Amino acid sequence: MVVKTISAALLGIDATPVYCETAISPGCRIMIIGLPDAAVKESRDRMESALREVGMRVPRKQIIINLAPADVRKEGSLYDVPIAVAVLAAGELIPTDMLNDYMLVGELSLDGRVKPVRGCLPYSILARQMGLKGIIVPRENAREAAVVNNLDVLVADHLKQIIDFLCGKGDLEKVEINTREMFANAERTFSGDFSDVKGQESVKRAFAIAASGGHNLIMVGPPGAGKSMMAKCLPSILPPLSLSEALETTKIHSVAGLRSEHGLITQRPFRAPHHTISGVALIGGGVNPMPGEVSLSHNGVLYLDELPEFNRTVLEVLRQPLEDRQITIARAKNTVTYPSSMMLVASMNPCPCGYYNHPTHECTCNESQVRKYLGRISGPLLDRIDLQVEIRPLSFEELSRTRVAEPSSAIRERVVRARQIQEERYRDVSGIHCNAQMTPALLRQHCVLDDRSLKMLQNAMTKLDLSARAYDRILRVARTIADYEGSAGITSAHIAEAISYRNLDRNSWGQG
C-alpha cells in the first residue's frame, strides 16, 4: 500500500507542495529518494530513534520514501515528522483518514520531541491555498504559522501527540491569533530618539526627507560627529509598517530562520552588518540560496557603517537591488528572487585619517589620499544614493547646551503626512508606495519644473558633471521635499536643496 503525507519545500520566500509517498514491500532497507540533501537522508535515523521512544518500531521491510516532485531539491529537517507519519501509516500502524487534511512539518529529536523549523509562515500560506484543513507545527513555530487566518494551526510538542491525534485518541492544541488586533496593539519601541542628538539640524532634516520618500542616504564626517547615533535613530521617524508589509517582511525572516516573539514583525527592520561581511551574506545565495542582509532589511533600513572599509566587490553587488528593489540569485538547478526594497543608509570618514575639512583638527592626508579613499566607492554606487550629507563636528557651545532637541515623534508626524500624500498619489500604481520608487513615466508626470528650476538644474548638471541617474535622483528628492513641506508643486528652493545633497561630487571632492 502506498501512503502519502503532505509537506512543503521553500522556493525563494514562497513554498511549494511536497508529498511524502511511502510504499512497503518485502525486503529489509529504507530508501529516501526524490532529490534529498544530507539532512533529509538523516531523517531515517532520527525517525527510528523517535519511534522507539513512543513504543513503536519501523516495519522490518523494504520501505521506499519518495519526496515528490522529484525534481525539487529537498533541504533541511522539516520532513522528519511527515516521513515518520507516512511510514507508520504505510505499515498500517495508524489510520490514514486525516492525512490528506493536514500539512506536517517538524524536526524530530532522538527522544521524539518535535523541534522548530524555518519557513513556517510560507508553509501556512501554502496550506491555506491548497484548501487544507490545517497544519501541524512545532510549538516554537505556532504563533508565526497562526498569522494566517482560516487555517487550523495545531501544535505538537512530541511525536506521540501527533500519533494519538491521528488515531483519534486525543486533540492537539489549536493556536489562534487575531492578526489585525495583534498588529494594531503591538508595542513598538526604538533604541534611539533624535531628541538625544544635539545640533546637526541640517542632517536631521536630511534624515526626515530620506524617511519621507524612502531615499538612500550617506553621511560623511569625522569620527565622533554622531553618524552612527543618528543612523540608529532613523527607525524612530519611519512611517509604521502596513499589515501587508509586515507579512512580507515576516516571510523573509521566517525563510531565514529568524522568528519573531509575537509571530509577526511589527517594526521596520534595521540591519547593520559588519564591514567584513561577504558578498553572499550581504546579497544572499549559497549552494542552497538563502536571503542575505539586503533582503532581511526589506521594508526597513540597511545601515553600512564605514562604507569604504567594505570589500569593493561586495559593495558592487548592491547595484541591482538598489535599482530593481529585488535580487535574483541564479544557480544551475534553480533561480530564486528575493525582495529588497530597503533604504540604504551609509556612513564614512572623509579621508583615511578622518579629519579632512575639520575646522580644528589638522588632516594628515594629501589630496591624492583623500580622493583615493573616496574612490573605494564606485561612481555608479554613489549615483544610486540620493542624499549625500556632510557632517560637521559640534562646537563645545553646541555640545553643552541643555535645551532638548525636537523629539522623533514630532518629526515622524511630518514624515507620515508626506508618505500619506505619496500613497494617495500612487494609489492606482501597482508596487509604488513612495517617491524613491518612481518610474521615469511617473517622474515626467509628477516632477514638472518651471523655467527657473529647470535652469538651476541645468547649471548643476553642467558644473557638477552629474549623470542622468543623478538627474532623476534630484527630481525624486525635490518631489519629496515638496511633499514634506506640503507643497503641491516643486519650486526652485526644493530643487536647490535637492542639489545640495550631492556633496560627494567626484570632480570637486578632495580638492583643497
Side-chain angles (χ1 to χ4, degrees), residues 49-56 88 111-112 158-161 163:
S49 176
L51 288 178
R52 280 196 300 269
E53 290 294 319
V54 298
M56 293 185 169
L88 291 176
D111 61 2
H158 199 278
L159 180 59
K160 184 68 164 61
Q161 295 174 334
I163 294 172

Side-chain angles (χ1 to χ4, degrees), residues 8-20:
L10 290 172
L11 292 179
I13 63 170
D14 296 313
T16 187
V18 170
Y19 299 94
C20 300

